[in-house]
């Protein structure tokens, strides 16, 4: 288990990237969902021993992550957001080199491990190609292969699907889903479908604070009957926004499709609010309500949310 307690980090210049983050993360895939600038990478780097927090503690099973960095690094796999590769090396050469760095000295053993990992991430057929010629999705799959060197107990992957096209994302999600249930996988993302597809547990981070923690299923269930939809003319969107907690506003052929968070029919609280229909809630509604309409989310009856401003 990974336990993070009251973690704080302020960057030089004054940005408070983490404002007392606490999370208990069990074995399996955990999704940390949040918009750009929310503090995801900062949290990931602290967990991966690459950044020193100002305050708080992190423990991985019996290890104190802040004090036993070398021990943690031995059982840690990390795929950073900006993962550098030597473009002129082939995947096989680069992984062999990284395996060497990880301490796999014995040549035949290293060869076996490298071949097995390339097979696992479905790159065996292109292992002789230079990394510079790889697509974004192939690079990320290579990134997972290097992160799995040394059979980690904790795998930290920071925004791994950002920039991938839908097919590559799907393929990458499949790869993550196949990872053993024996380890903790901490996945940061701003893409809701990553969490829907993969995660048993998740948290939403916003402005350096955790605003929700729970299973995706419970989060969606708590919103049931509270999401209302209506298509309105573009010119009226701001008016609706000022009167109702709008979760999302998406263009559609006949106007803007608003989704609103409300315990009952919005018509009762706002005279122009008629014409809304109750719709099935989904994880995007959960996410966008915490990010775009946090006050309304916090005041929902029986939402079970852990939102605190
Ligand atoms: P996310 O990964 O969710 O996009 P980050 O953890 O990268 O968020 O950033 C959180 C906040 O900290 C942002 O406001 C960002 O601009 C700021 N920040 C990140 N890294 C640095 C840094 N090295 N120096 C100063 N501010 C930083």
């Amino acid at each position: 288990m990974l336990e993070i307690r009251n973690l704080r980090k302020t960057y030089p210049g004054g940005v408070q990237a983490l404002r007392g983050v606490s999370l208990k993360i069990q074995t399996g895939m955990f999704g940390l969902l949040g918009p750009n600038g929310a503090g995801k990478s900062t949290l990931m780097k602290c967990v991966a021993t690459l950044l020193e927090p100002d305050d708080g503690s992190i423990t991985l099973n019996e290890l104190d992550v802040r004090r036993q960095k070398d021990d943690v690094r031995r059982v840690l796999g990390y795929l950073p957001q900006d993962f550098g590769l030597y473009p002129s090396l082939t995947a096989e050469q680069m992984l062999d080199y990284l395996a060497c760095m990880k301490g796999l000295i014995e040549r035949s053993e290293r060869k076996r491990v490298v071949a097995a990992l390339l097979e696992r991430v479905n790159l065996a057929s292109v292992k002789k190609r230079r990394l510079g010629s790889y697509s974004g999705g192939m690079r990320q799959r290579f990134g997972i292969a290097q992160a799995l060197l040394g059979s980690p107990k904790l795998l930290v992957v920071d925004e791994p699907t950002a920039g991938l096209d839908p097919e590559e994302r799907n393929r990458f999600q499949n790869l993550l889903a196949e990872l053993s249930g024996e380890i903790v996988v901490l996945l940061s993302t701003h893409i809701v479908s990553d969490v829907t597809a993969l995660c048993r547990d998740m948290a939403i981070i916003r402005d350096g604070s955790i605003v929700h923690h729970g299973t995706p299923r419970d989060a969606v269930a708590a919103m049931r009957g509270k999401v209302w939809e209506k298509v309105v003319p573009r010119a009226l969107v701001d008016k609706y926004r000022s009167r109702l907690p709008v979760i999302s506003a998406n263009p559609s052929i006949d106007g803007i499709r608003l989704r609103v968070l409300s315990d009952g029919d919005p018509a009762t609280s706002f005279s122009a609010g008629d014409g809304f229909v109750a719709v099935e809630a989904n994880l995007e509604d959960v996410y966008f309500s915490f990010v775009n309409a946090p006050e309304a989310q916090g005041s929902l009856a029986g939402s079970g949310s852990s939102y605190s401003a």
Side-chain angles (χ1 to χ4, degrees):
M1 187 172 80
L2 178 70
E3 186 161 4
I4 298 164
R5 274 191 230 101
N6 203 24
L7 212 63
R8 295 180 184 277
K9 176 73 189 174
T10 301
Y11 284 108
V15 175
Q16 282 186 279
L18 300 175
R19 301 168 188 252
V21 166
S22 298
L23 284 172
K24 272 188 190 166
I25 298 174
Q26 311 285 348
T27 303
M29 189 91 61
F30 185 94
L32 181 69
L33 195 55
N36 286 332
K40 301 184 294 299
S41 280
T42 303
L43 183 57
M44 298 280 149
K45 286 179 195 154
C46 290
V47 170
T49 73
L50 299 171
L51 187 68
E52 196 55 47
D54 302 327
D55 201 7
S57 69
I58 310 171
T59 53
L60 172 65
N61 301 327
E62 71 291 353
L63 293 176
D64 178 334
V65 174
R66 292 186 65 187
R67 291 200 176 78
Q68 296 170 279
K69 291 195 173 66
D70 287 342
D71 296 322
V72 171
R73 284 171 193 159
R74 250 174 250 129
V75 294
L76 171 82
Y78 178 50
L79 176 56
Q81 215 174 345
D82 38 11
F83 175 54
L85 294 166
Y86 293 103
S88 58
L89 292 187
T90 68
E92 193 178 35
Q93 287 167 334
M94 177 105 195
L95 200 57
D96 185 76
Y97 168 76
L98 293 169
C100 228
M101 298 282 101
K102 270 255 169 182
L104 266 171
I105 312 289
E106 220 267 296
R107 199 158 171 269
S108 59
E109 167 69 358
R110 201 165 69 233
K111 233 178 145 168
R112 191 188 63 73
V113 168
V114 166
L117 279 174
L118 289 171
E119 193 70 49
R120 184 151 181 204
V121 301
N122 219 343
L123 291 173
S125 62
V126 287
K127 66 184 180 190
K128 304 278 185 210
R129 268 176 58 181
R130 287 168 196 273
L131 290 164
S133 73
Y134 271 22
S135 70
M138 289 158 83
R139 272 203 293 273
Q140 288 305 70
R141 280 186 278 134
F142 181 82
I144 286 293
Q146 65 79 30
L148 289 176
L149 278 168
S151 309
K153 297 229 174 335
L154 169 65
L155 185 64
V156 176
V157 279
D158 196 359
E159 302 244 19
T161 68
L164 299 189
D165 67 34
E167 195 185 325
E168 282 182 328
R169 174 172 306 141
N170 187 270
R171 204 164 176 176
F172 190 80
Q173 286 175 345
N174 275 316
L175 169 63
L176 285 181
E178 281 166 14
L179 292 176
S180 156
E182 308 275 286
I183 64 173
V184 178
V185 183
L186 182 54
L187 166 84
S188 95
T189 184
H190 63 267
I191 296 160
V192 177
S193 73
D194 286 347
V195 176
T196 314
L198 298 169
C199 300
R200 276 205 305 218
D201 197 10
M202 65 152 194
I204 299 174
I205 185 169
R206 177 175 176 264
D207 289 337
S209 298
I210 301 297
V211 293
H212 181 79
H213 177 193
T215 67
R217 183 183 295 206
D218 287 348
V220 171
M223 303 255 313
R224 201 157 287 146
K226 293 167 182 169
V227 181
W228 300 77
E229 193 176 278
K230 180 181 179 179
V231 177
V232 306
R234 182 177 294 276
L236 294 182
V237 170
D238 285 346
K239 184 174 163 197
Y240 277 87
R241 274 192 197 284
S242 67
R243 306 282 177 85
L244 292 169
V246 173
I247 305 171
S248 57
N250 293 306
S252 71
I253 301 167
D254 34 3
I256 303 292
R257 187 174 299 274
L258 295 183
R259 282 170 91 94
V260 162
L261 191 62
S262 175
D263 264 333
D265 189 339
T268 57
S269 58
F270 168 41
S271 59
D274 57 339
F276 275 93
V277 290
V279 289
E280 194 74 30
N282 57 40
L283 199 59
E284 293 223 333
D285 294 321
V286 174
Y287 174 55
F288 288 119
S289 69
F290 278 105
V291 170
N292 295 339
E295 299 79 13
Q297 173 58 258
S299 67
L300 273 188
S303 71
S305 100
S306 56
Y307 173 73
S308 56

